[in-house]
Amino acid sequence: MTVADTIAAISTPAGEGAIALVRISGVNAIDVAEKIFRGKENPSRFGSHVQHFGEIVDGKGRLIDQVMFSIHRAPASYTGEDLLEISCHGGTLVTAKVLEACLRGGARAARPGEFTERAFLNGKMDLTQAEAVIDLIRARTDLALRSATEQLEGRLGEKIRKIRDELVSLLAHIDASIDFPEEGISPDEGEKLCARLGSVREEIAALLATADQGRILREGVRVVIYGATNAGKSSLLNRLLGYDRVIVSETHGTTRDTIEETANLDGLPIRLLDTAGLRASASELEHEGIVRTERSLQLADLRLHIADRNAPKPSHFDERAGNSNEIVVLNKSDLPEDSDWKNCPALRVSCMTGEGLPELQKEILARITKQNLRPESTVAINARHRDCLRRALESCDRAGAALGQRLSPEYVAVDLNEALRAVGEVIGAVDVEQILDSVFGQFCIGK
């Protein structure tokens, strides 16, 4: 991978707006600016972080747009390179023309996430901070936003570096015993090493325990709404979202596919899934929808089993009720209740009037807390971190077993080296070229 070339991209979303931002970064960024910018001074004479008014021109010197232009000189820039920012008018065509001028001037089109990738490669941030950028962009609740902000500040990176430093210290001690065998390791010293390794192991295990919290902060708690046809599943989804997302009809079986939307409930992202109604159906299309409902139920963090209290109890109801991660909801409390539901422990709501909805929201939050799905810490790992730390933990366990069995220190050193490498991968402290595409490929172009 080379960072010798100069890249350019539109950094604002596609579409019309008041202002659009085009960025250029690289060793020849100022040379590109000299070819496309016309103003009172040449860009090469601009001071860093100062806005200048001028014009962007095409290859024939014709005006494309009047802009505000600034240079962020290396290394005091986002990427650590000379970084140019052009604030032009936010029309789709004019923005494309400004970018076209940049590319004609010698830059190439940036890949998704390449600006942040260069920030990482130039030492402006570690890999956890780079990943926090996309989490910050995608945050949908205050809690997710705070988590991304703290990770961007380096909180997770600090924890990882502390673990890494402790592993380096342990490995140095083991390597010394290998290089100077005449010194030996006394039993007391061996016990101290085991204790130190055990402490490192606990720190890794504590971070691994936040993996589910990280998933919830980034993806949300999966709440599946299911039940018989025409029980009010789509109506409940609309009520919980606060707007009409799904068409509601008295016709049975109108929902054929899984519909997913995200709601903010007390700072937590809640992924609400409206599913096809459960019933025997001869329709192949509806049958496929019911199969998808069953799949969604298997992956649910929490289930909302909704039924029509004005109708007799469905045949499938009792065999599905009673799950620990399930809330039974009896809809249409504004209508008389069928005798089948007498003494049924359930929340009674009316999607028509809104009655009982606040109590349902409180119960959802209570169940989330009871199942430890509410994040206690905003410093939480993602799936990539989890895989790295799991390997590190397994290596530490092997090293601990080798120490306990008084095996040759070479065996311990091999396992500690593996643990050290796995931990280093989290923050990008080892050769991580093979994972850069997976990390930065999820970014939007221009970031």
Side-chain angles (χ1 to χ4, degrees):
M1 170 141 335
T2 176
V3 293
D5 49 354
T6 299
I7 58 174
I10 301 168
S11 293
T12 41
E16 292 185 358
I19 298 292
L21 182 69
V22 178
R23 303 166 101 187
I24 311 171
S25 181
V27 292
N28 298 318
I30 295 177
D31 291 338
V32 173
E34 292 279 351
K35 297 175 183 177
I36 67 172
F37 181 79
R38 185 166 62 197
K40 290 183 178 180
E41 291 182 292
N42 292 330
S44 58
R45 302 181 61 184
F46 288 174
S48 185
H49 297 77
V50 178
Q51 292 273 14
H52 295 265
F53 177 76
E55 299 173 342
I56 298 295
V57 296
D58 63 15
K60 296 182 179 179
R62 293 176 299 196
L63 174 68
I64 295 175
D65 192 18
Q66 293 182 327
V67 303
M68 295 301 296
F69 187 98
S70 64
I71 294 177
H72 302 243
R73 296 185 181 273
S77 71
Y78 179 76
T79 60
E81 306 168 332
D82 284 341
L83 177 68
L84 279 57
E85 294 190 344
I86 304 170
S87 298
C88 61
H89 291 95
T92 302
L93 181 59
V94 67
T95 308
K97 289 290 185 182
V98 171
L99 176 61
E100 183 181 327
C102 297
L103 300 182
R104 188 182 296 111
R108 68 161 173 82
R111 292 179 282 103
E114 191 168 2
F115 287 89
T116 303
E117 181 181 299
R118 291 189 175 206
F120 162 68
L121 293 173
N122 291 324
K124 302 297 288 186
M125 58 179 68
D126 66 36
L127 207 51
T128 64
Q129 290 172 299
E131 289 169 311
V133 174
I134 193 64
D135 288 339
L136 191 71
I137 292 170
R138 293 178 175 172
R140 291 170 290 182
T141 66
D142 290 342
L143 197 58
L145 180 63
R146 190 173 52 161
S147 173
T149 302
E150 291 188 7
Q151 187 168 317
L152 188 59
E153 288 176 343
R155 299 281 183 89
L156 178 58
E158 288 175 9
K159 291 176 181 287
I160 296 296
R161 276 186 284 273
K162 181 173 181 254
I163 292 172
R164 190 167 180 267
D165 290 345
E166 290 169 351
L167 283 171
V168 167
S169 177
L170 276 169
L171 188 57
H173 192 101
I174 296 296
D175 284 343
S177 71
I178 295 171
D179 293 337
F180 305 100
E182 66 278 3
E183 297 293 332
I185 299 177
S186 67
D188 287 340
E189 198 166 13
E191 290 176 6
K192 289 180 181 177
L193 283 175
C194 284
R196 289 172 62 190
L197 183 58
S199 176
V200 173
R201 188 194 180 284
E202 288 178 4
E203 291 178 37
I204 295 173
L207 279 178
L208 271 172
T210 68
D212 280 343
Q213 297 181 4
R215 174 183 65 80
I216 288 164
L217 285 170
R218 294 175 181 91
E219 301 176 11
V221 181
R222 291 184 292 250
V223 178
V224 175
I225 305 171
Y226 83 105
T229 57
N230 215 28
K233 298 181 297 299
S234 298
S235 297
L236 180 59
L237 175 70
N238 289 341
R239 275 288 183 176
L240 290 173
L241 290 174
Y243 62 91
D244 288 341
R245 166 63 179 83
V246 185
I247 296 174
V248 175
S249 169
E250 293 183 2
T251 304
H252 288 263
T254 51
T255 302
R256 302 294 182 89
D257 201 354
T258 299
I259 298 171
E260 179 178 334
E261 289 292 339
T262 301
N264 183 341
L265 196 58
D266 196 25
L268 283 175
I270 307 294
R271 291 170 57 192
L272 295 166
L273 288 86
D274 179 22
T275 59
L278 300 174
R279 69 168 178 170
S281 175
S283 166
E284 184 177 344
L285 184 61
E286 188 175 352
H287 175 72
E288 176 59 27
I290 294 171
V291 170
R292 294 190 179 191
T293 296
E294 297 290 354
R295 288 191 202 132
S296 298
L297 289 172
Q298 292 173 9
L299 298 173
D301 294 312
L302 185 64
R303 304 175 180 182
L304 300 184
H305 191 170
I306 186 167
D308 180 356
R309 72 191 285 265
N310 185 237
K313 187 183 295 185
S315 58
H316 71 264
F317 187 85
D318 287 329
E319 64 187 44
R320 290 180 174 272
N323 194 303
S324 61
N325 69 335
E326 183 165 295
I327 301 173
V328 177
V329 181
L330 296 185
N331 187 29
K332 305 183 184 179
S333 61
D334 52 311
L335 298 176
E337 182 169 295
D338 189 275
S339 59
D340 278 1
W341 301 108
K342 186 178 181 181
N343 300 323
C344 177
L347 285 174
R348 287 159 171 79
V349 304
S350 171
C351 292
M352 178 67 71
T353 66
E355 179 187 348
L357 265 298
E359 288 75 17
L360 175 58
Q361 291 176 338
K362 289 178 183 177
E363 182 61 23
I364 291 173
L365 289 171
R367 292 294 184 95
I368 289 171
T369 302
K370 185 177 180 180
Q371 295 181 51
N372 297 318
L373 297 176
R374 177 187 285 276
E376 298 176 0
S377 169
T378 52
V379 178
I381 65 173
N382 63 26
R384 186 186 69 83
H385 307 152
R386 180 197 61 211
D387 294 339
C388 294
L389 292 175
R390 185 177 292 158
R391 285 190 281 117
L393 189 64
E394 291 170 354
S395 297
C396 286
D397 287 341
R398 289 195 297 269
L403 279 172
Q405 297 168 19
R406 305 291 180 88
L407 297 181
S408 170
E410 283 85 355
Y411 290 103
V412 181
V414 168
D415 291 322
L416 287 180
N417 265 308
E418 290 179 0
L420 184 61
R421 177 175 179 78
V423 169
E425 284 183 25
V426 178
I427 56 174
V430 294
D431 180 17
V432 291
E433 186 169 332
Q434 69 277 12
I435 64 173
L436 291 183
D437 286 345
S438 65
V439 171
F440 295 104
Q442 61 183 315
F443 278 56
C444 49
I445 294 175
K447 192 60 181 177

